[in-house]
Amino acid sequence: MIRSTDLDSFVCCAVCSKIIPPPPSNATFDRIREYKPFRTRYYTHRDILEIGASIQQEERERKEAEIQESIEKMKAELWSQAEQYKEDAVDKALTEATANYNAFVQDLKLKLEKEVKEVVRKAKAEMKEYMEEEQRRETEATEQRMAHKLRCALLECAKEKMQAVAEARKQEREMALSEAAMQHRKHIEQLKEESMLAEELYRKTIEQLSKGKCNEMNVALSVKQKENQIEMEKQMKELQTVHLEELEKVMITLRTAEGQVKALEQKLERMRAWKDSLETEIQATRQAFQKYIDATFPNLSPGQADFILPLRTTFEPKDIPKEAEGNDDECKRPTTESMRVTAMSKQHFK
């Protein structure tokens, strides 16, 4: 099997798989000229390889020819199918083109008909507008001519009217001036008479008003005095009522306070009686207990049993008034008393 395409290195055969080196160069070949078996073997293998290569080349050419023939057949079939597809596509395209052309022609006809109708309608409308505009212009021109004539006639009438009015005003002004002069004279005389009458009437009115105002002021003063007197009486009555109510409240409060004071005094008396009874009972109890100690422990020395009955002070309230102190002097008892309290002897405790 050839390893490379340049035939420089190859194997001997498929059995030994021995790699044969490339042929030696001319210089080397001269030195190994006498080694004939190597040369013979080299050329033999080379011939074998050439034969194998030629066989492979023929096989390759045959396969290529078969492949080329198959390709030609496929090309022919494809070309025939393509021609068939082409004819079908051309027929279909012609049919579609014909249908599209007919539809386009129909649409174009409809569109042209619509455009023609629209153009005719627009032309009629424009013609109508043009006729109306011409008629309007003629009417306006006629109206303007009539207005101009009427304006001229009115101007002439106005001029004549102004002249007539000016003449009439002039005549009226002259008549009015003469009449005004006469009225002025009459008015001056009338004013003089009226001024004299007004002065007399003014004096009389002033006198009457002064008298009436004096009477009104006197009446108002008397009424005001009466109202003030009535108001003062009302206020005095209200003050008396308020004073009586406050006095009644104070008396009620005073009576309530007196009742509370009496109740407190009674309570205080009861507490004093209870205190006296307690003091008496305590003194009796101490005396009895002292007698018991004296009888039970006669040998105790003084001071040994003071822890049993310590000295006691009686309760004296601090807030008792001085008047009550005089009444309580009779009920007082000695607060302290010297009591002999003995203690048990050490032998007895043992």
Side-chain angles (χ1 to χ4, degrees), residues 19 89 94 101 139 184 229 244 255 270 274-275 345 349:
I19 297 173
L94 289 173
Y101 177 75
T139 304
H184 182 65
Q229 187 176 0
L244 291 174
R255 285 195 293 271
R270 288 195 297 272
W274 182 55
K275 180 179 74 67
S345 62
F349 280 112

Side-chain angles (χ1 to χ4, degrees), residues 203-292:
R203 284 195 298 271
K204 291 179 181 179
T205 305
I206 290 297
E207 291 176 358
Q208 291 177 0
L209 287 174
S210 61
K211 291 179 181 180
K213 186 60 70 175
C214 290
N215 293 328
E216 289 178 0
M217 290 176 67
N218 293 326
V219 172
L221 182 61
S222 61
V223 171
K224 189 66 177 177
Q225 288 177 355
K226 288 181 180 180
E227 289 178 355
N228 291 333
Q229 187 176 0
I230 293 168
E231 187 69 23
M232 289 294 292
E233 290 177 357
K234 287 182 180 180
Q235 290 180 359
M236 289 296 294
K237 289 180 181 179
E238 290 178 357
L239 288 173
Q240 289 177 0
T241 305
V242 172
H243 180 68
L244 291 174
E245 290 178 356
E246 291 180 354
L247 183 61
E248 186 68 24
K249 290 179 181 179
V250 170
M251 293 300 293
I252 292 169
T253 306
L254 184 60
R255 285 195 293 271
T256 305
E258 288 177 354
Q260 292 178 357
V261 169
K262 288 180 181 179
L264 289 173
E265 288 179 354
Q266 292 176 1
K267 188 175 181 181
L268 183 61
E269 289 294 332
R270 288 195 297 272
M271 291 179 69
R272 284 176 181 172
W274 182 55
K275 180 179 74 67
D276 293 340
S277 64
L278 288 176
E279 286 290 337
T280 304
E281 186 177 355
I282 289 169
Q283 291 295 333
T285 303
R286 288 178 67 87
Q287 290 176 4
F289 192 68
Q290 184 65 43
K291 290 178 181 180
Y292 172 76

Side-chain angles (χ1 to χ4, degrees), residues 20-34:
I20 303 301
S25 61
N26 294 326
T28 306
F29 189 74
D30 291 338
R31 288 185 297 172
I32 61 172
R33 188 178 298 276
E34 296 177 357

Side-chain angles (χ1 to χ4, degrees), residues 3 23 106 164 179 183 190 196 245 249-250 253:
R3 293 289 183 180
Q106 190 68 24
E179 187 69 23
Q183 291 291 334
Q190 189 176 0
M196 293 173 67
E245 290 178 356
K249 290 179 181 179
V250 170
T253 306

Side-chain angles (χ1 to χ4, degrees), residues 13-269:
C13 60
V15 177
C16 63
S17 298
K18 185 177 179 181
I19 297 173
I20 303 301
S25 61
N26 294 326
T28 306
F29 189 74
D30 291 338
R31 288 185 297 172
I32 61 172
R33 188 178 298 276
E34 296 177 357
Y35 192 69
K36 292 182 180 180
F38 177 78
R39 290 179 62 190
T40 303
R41 187 174 57 183
Y42 173 75
Y43 285 111
T44 302
H45 282 287
R46 185 171 183 177
D47 293 337
I48 292 169
L49 292 174
E50 287 178 356
I51 292 168
S54 63
I55 292 169
Q56 288 180 358
Q57 184 67 26
E58 290 176 358
E59 185 69 21
R60 191 181 297 111
E61 290 177 357
R62 186 179 61 78
K63 288 182 179 180
E64 287 179 357
E66 291 178 357
I67 291 169
Q68 189 67 28
E69 186 178 358
S70 299
I71 289 170
E72 292 295 333
K73 289 180 180 180
M74 291 296 294
K75 282 183 179 180
E77 291 178 0
L78 290 173
W79 277 111
S80 62
Q81 291 178 2
E83 290 293 333
Q84 186 66 31
Y85 290 155
K86 182 179 179 182
E87 291 177 358
D88 295 340
V90 168
D91 294 337
K92 186 176 181 180
L94 289 173
T95 304
E96 291 179 356
T98 304
N100 292 331
Y101 177 75
N102 293 329
F104 176 74
V105 170
Q106 190 68 24
D107 293 339
L108 187 61
K109 286 181 180 180
L110 294 174
K111 190 181 291 184
L112 288 174
E113 288 178 359
K114 289 181 180 179
E115 289 179 356
V116 169
K117 290 180 180 179
E118 185 68 21
V119 169
V120 171
R121 187 183 63 78
K122 288 182 179 180
K124 288 181 179 180
E126 289 178 357
M127 184 61 68
K128 185 177 180 181
E129 290 178 359
Y130 178 75
M131 294 299 292
E132 290 177 355
E133 185 68 22
E134 288 294 329
Q135 187 177 0
R136 185 178 61 78
R137 287 178 182 176
E138 290 292 334
T139 304
E140 288 179 356
T142 305
E143 289 177 355
Q144 288 177 0
R145 287 193 294 272
M146 292 297 292
H148 180 68
K149 291 180 180 179
L150 183 61
R151 194 180 299 111
C152 292
L154 289 173
L155 288 173
E156 291 178 359
C157 292
K159 287 180 181 180
E160 293 176 357
K161 182 179 178 181
M162 291 295 291
Q163 291 176 0
V165 168
E167 291 177 358
R169 284 180 179 177
K170 186 176 180 180
Q171 293 176 1
E172 289 178 357
R173 193 179 298 112
E174 291 175 356
M175 292 174 66
L177 288 173
S178 61
E179 187 69 23
M182 292 175 65
Q183 291 291 334
H184 182 65
R185 287 193 297 271
K186 290 180 180 180
H187 186 62
I188 288 171
E189 293 176 358
Q190 189 176 0
L191 283 175
K192 288 179 180 179
E193 293 176 358
E194 288 179 356
S195 63
M196 293 173 67
L197 293 173
E199 287 178 359
E200 292 178 0
L201 183 62
Y202 178 73
R203 284 195 298 271
K204 291 179 181 179
T205 305
I206 290 297
E207 291 176 358
Q208 291 177 0
L209 287 174
S210 61
K211 291 179 181 180
K213 186 60 70 175
C214 290
N215 293 328
E216 289 178 0
M217 290 176 67
N218 293 326
V219 172
L221 182 61
S222 61
V223 171
K224 189 66 177 177
Q225 288 177 355
K226 288 181 180 180
E227 289 178 355
N228 291 333
Q229 187 176 0
I230 293 168
E231 187 69 23
M232 289 294 292
E233 290 177 357
K234 287 182 180 180
Q235 290 180 359
M236 289 296 294
K237 289 180 181 179
E238 290 178 357
L239 288 173
Q240 289 177 0
T241 305
V242 172
H243 180 68
L244 291 174
E245 290 178 356
E246 291 180 354
L247 183 61
E248 186 68 24
K249 290 179 181 179
V250 170
M251 293 300 293
I252 292 169
T253 306
L254 184 60
R255 285 195 293 271
T256 305
E258 288 177 354
Q260 292 178 357
V261 169
K262 288 180 181 179
L264 289 173
E265 288 179 354
Q266 292 176 1
K267 188 175 181 181
L268 183 61
E269 289 294 332

